[in-house]
Amino acid sequence: MKDYVLAHDLGTTGNKATLYDRDGALIASCFHAYETRFDQVGWAEQNPNDWWEAICTSTRALLKSVPGMRESDLARSIACIVFSGQMMGCVPLDKQARPLRSAIIWADQRAVEQERWLAARIGREDMYRITGHRLSSSYSLPKMLWLRDHQPDIYRETYKFVHAKDAMVARLTGVFVTEPSDASSMNLYDLEAGAWSARIIDAAGLNAEQLPTLIRSIDVAGELTTQAAEEVGLVAGTPVVIGGGDGACAAVGAGVISEGSAYNYVGSSSWIALTTRKPIYDPDQKTFTFGHVVPDMFMPTGTMQAAGASYQWARDQLAPLEVQAAAALGISAYEIMNLGAESSPVGANGLLYLPYLLGERSPRWNPRARGAFIGLTIRHTRRDMVRAVLEGITFNLRVILDCFRKQGASIDAMRVIGGGARGRFWNRIMADVYGVPIQRLSVLEEATSMGAAVVGGVGVGLYQDFGIIAQMNHIAATIPPDPAAQAQYDKLYPIFDAAYMALLPIYDQLAEVNI
């Protein structure tokens, strides 16, 4: 009997293989790391053969890790393989699904000239309206054009340009496909038509035959070939469901599968995403919209760069005593930091923090932006500074949230996932700044692989529908806004926004003197 879904989450640091049963319970998980190369400033590459090795290694380790089951029996019990994966990459493959060079991943920014060339060929406003995304060197299309300009032999030899997960699916099945969540992160996909944009393809001078076939995220891409089955340790003929990009799979893992629901992922970076029936187009292009893994739905999103990264910076630079005490007690330094920050009042005694330690993507789209404390006086303490950091991150996320609200989105509650969502104190700040209840889920850091498993299970009929996620990842706690604190934050929020705007010329001046 086919009782299990094998989900692979092909991330930036490694691949996580997870096994879920027909009741949605997590049976086992294994992780295999791989490296990223930064050969030049602005470049970021990974070897797709490392991804394949990670899939083979983690799959075999997973099969060995389930007590009471022989590997061969478990392999025969797998109903499907499914993927989530890092997005916005460029992987050139030959007809045998072998990589022709290293993958140019999402973090790579080399294709700035190609972005400018495209902007002259198709206006930035038109690009946003067609694809739901800004024209950016972060996306796949400019990276493809960089290969055309700098490595023309590889460009000509490429059979298909795909994403990370699609490359692995092609190697498993021999089928070259992608789906709406990854397709929409390429600057090539007509979001509302659900097809490759003929206008953009023509403007870019692309060969449309080099793009993968579009299917739904829940569709079976193909079956495991005999050769691939021998390498990964599974049974030939096992169905492979295409799955989706990591952000969209995380939305399913967070239970954000219907209109009006929203989630906030809090890790090193952070994002807010919704599920809607139509894209949300922001007049200032502060936010963007992906296709969803839920058929016929969309995922409007805004992503900030330094969320947990700001908190980690505060720990490393402002809390040496807390770090020492935490090590002695065997607890997280953040727990002690939070206890101290709670003694600082709402608004951190008038101290604001701008969380732009790594420049900023959405909502500012300003690589020159820099972090700052504003309002610092001799009376402020480290506890005030820690609280200001948490409040500043959350204010910045509210800018994203308000973009959606201004375009008519109704958000009744905010689900939170990711390592940063563990802190109850931060949950409370979020509730008060956002003005909606915060729903902290029981599973915070497995949501992406869990979401992929749901996509796969729905795709092969093991799960009736996406609603199974309610029993897989329930709401562990609900934190309502405190009216008094919310009113105080409503006064501070426009000051936070004005502070960023006032510093724009300063950011430019600093950049000009290379500071």
Side-chain angles (χ1 to χ4, degrees):
M1 192 171 181
K2 305 293 187 181
D3 287 324
Y4 301 101
V5 175
L6 171 57
H8 287 285
D9 179 19
L10 203 66
T12 305
T13 59
N15 179 67
K16 178 181 288 185
T18 50
L19 196 68
Y20 288 84
D21 68 13
R22 62 172 50 249
D23 295 320
L26 175 64
I27 303 302
S29 67
C30 292
F31 180 81
H32 186 88
Y34 38 75
E35 294 183 350
T36 303
R37 295 202 326 271
F38 304 94
D39 293 339
Q40 296 187 38
V41 175
W43 290 29
E45 297 187 358
Q46 291 181 344
N47 185 345
N49 291 322
D50 292 343
W51 301 340
W52 180 250
E53 179 184 352
I55 287 170
C56 293
T57 302
S58 58
T59 298
R60 290 184 178 276
L62 197 68
L63 294 176
K64 293 177 182 178
S65 68
V66 180
M69 287 198 70
R70 293 188 303 177
E71 295 173 48
S72 58
D73 291 340
L74 185 54
R76 283 192 294 270
S77 300
I78 291 175
C80 73
I81 306 164
V82 64
F83 283 84
S84 62
Q86 53 176 287
M87 305 172 77
M88 301 183 294
C90 175
V91 191
L93 300 179
D94 67 14
K95 288 186 177 181
Q96 287 70 48
R98 303 289 175 171
L100 295 171
R101 72 179 310 281
S102 293
I104 304 174
I105 70 168
W106 63 272
D108 193 287
Q109 296 285 336
R110 76 184 69 181
V112 174
E113 289 302 319
Q114 287 70 31
E115 175 193 328
R116 292 171 181 161
W117 181 83
L118 282 166
R121 303 271 296 183
I122 182 168
R124 293 183 183 273
E125 179 66 27
D126 287 350
M127 177 65 81
Y128 184 76
R129 284 290 165 179
I130 294 170
T131 69
H133 291 258
R134 284 172 167 247
L135 174 58
S136 170
S137 60
S138 296
Y139 296 124
S140 305
L141 174 56
K143 294 166 183 173
M144 293 162 58
L145 296 180
W146 185 93
L147 287 176
R148 184 179 68 181
D149 295 343
H150 294 274
Q151 297 178 356
D153 291 344
I154 289 175
Y155 182 86
R156 285 192 298 268
E157 292 171 12
T158 298
Y159 177 61
K160 299 290 182 182
F161 289 101
V162 297
H163 290 277
K165 79 174 195 318
D166 306 330
M168 298 299 97
V169 169
R171 189 152 178 177
L172 289 167
T173 66
V175 179
F176 298 83
V177 292
T178 194
E179 45 66 54
S181 64
D182 259 340
S184 60
S185 71
M186 292 182 75
N187 271 164
L188 271 170
Y189 182 72
D190 188 320
L191 193 61
E192 296 193 62
W196 299 121
S197 169
R199 180 180 172 189
I200 297 174
I201 289 171
D202 181 64
L206 294 184
N207 176 5
E209 295 298 316
Q210 290 179 299
L211 297 176
T213 301
L214 290 163
I215 62 175
R216 298 179 304 169
S217 303
I218 60 173
D219 285 342
V220 174
E223 295 182 346
L224 195 60
T225 66
T226 300
Q227 180 179 342
E230 291 176 356
E231 293 188 57
V232 300
L234 295 173
V235 177
T238 301
V240 179
V241 176
I242 184 66
D246 52 10
C249 287
V252 174
V256 179
I257 56 176
S258 58
E259 186 100 44
S261 53
Y263 83 100
N264 186 175
Y265 171 85
V266 187
S268 180
S269 63
S270 181
W271 62 80
I272 289 176
L274 323 179
T275 293
T276 59
R277 296 192 178 277
K278 294 182 179 181
I280 291 180
Y281 301 103
D282 182 70
D284 298 319
Q285 300 184 21
K286 289 181 178 180
T287 62
F288 40 92
T289 301
F290 292 103
H292 210 309
V293 291
V294 179
D296 302 319
M297 301 297 277
F298 298 92
M299 192 179 78
T301 307
T303 303
M304 67 171 287
Q305 295 280 66
S310 285
Y311 200 18
Q312 182 177 343
W313 174 87
R315 180 198 67 188
D316 295 344
Q317 305 303 325
L318 301 176
L321 298 178
E322 288 85 345
V323 170
Q324 291 178 11
L329 295 171
I331 62 175
S332 168
Y334 295 117
E335 292 184 39
I336 302 178
M337 290 166 63
N338 288 346
L339 287 172
E342 283 188 81
S343 67
S344 175
V346 171
N349 284 311
L351 185 62
L352 293 176
Y353 170 74
L354 303 187
Y356 308 124
L357 302 184
L358 297 171
E360 190 54 291
R361 292 182 65 201
S362 172
R364 306 301 190 186
W365 298 103
N366 185 358
R368 292 182 168 185
R370 295 293 179 263
F373 283 102
I374 297 175
L376 191 64
T377 72
I378 200 167
R379 297 182 62 188
H380 280 114
T381 67
R382 289 187 301 115
R383 294 178 175 184
D384 294 325
M385 297 176 79
V386 171
R387 179 163 193 139
V389 166
L390 293 175
E391 291 176 340
I393 297 165
T394 312
F395 279 142
N396 199 61
L397 288 165
R398 177 172 162 178
V399 178
I400 296 169
L401 188 59
D402 281 359
C403 288
F404 296 139
R405 286 168 165 158
K406 288 175 183 176
Q407 299 310 311
S410 177
I411 300 162
D412 299 326
M414 182 68 69
R415 296 180 174 223
V416 290
I417 59 172
R422 294 189 182 281
R424 294 177 182 271
F425 176 53
W426 199 352
N427 292 165
R428 194 160 71 245
I429 291 174
M430 289 176 178
D432 296 338
V433 171
Y434 299 160
V436 295
I438 295 297
Q439 297 172 336
R440 184 164 51 81
L441 298 177
S442 58
V443 178
L444 299 177
E445 297 186 69
E446 296 279 355
T448 303
S449 57
M450 180 182 288
V454 171
V455 174
V458 171
V460 296
L462 192 68
Y463 304 144
Q464 182 176 354
D465 54 40
F466 285 94
I468 192 173
I469 193 60
Q471 70 186 53
M472 296 171 70
N473 198 6
H474 63 271
I475 297 170
T478 298
I479 300 91
D482 174 75
Q486 183 181 344
Q488 184 68 9
Y489 283 133
D490 284 344
K491 294 177 182 177
L492 290 169
Y493 172 66
I495 302 173
F496 168 86
D497 201 45
Y500 167 78
M501 300 302 295
L503 284 174
L504 282 174
I506 303 301
Y507 296 146
D508 290 338
Q509 291 172 41
L510 286 173
E512 289 171 5
V513 295
N514 297 315
I515 295 178

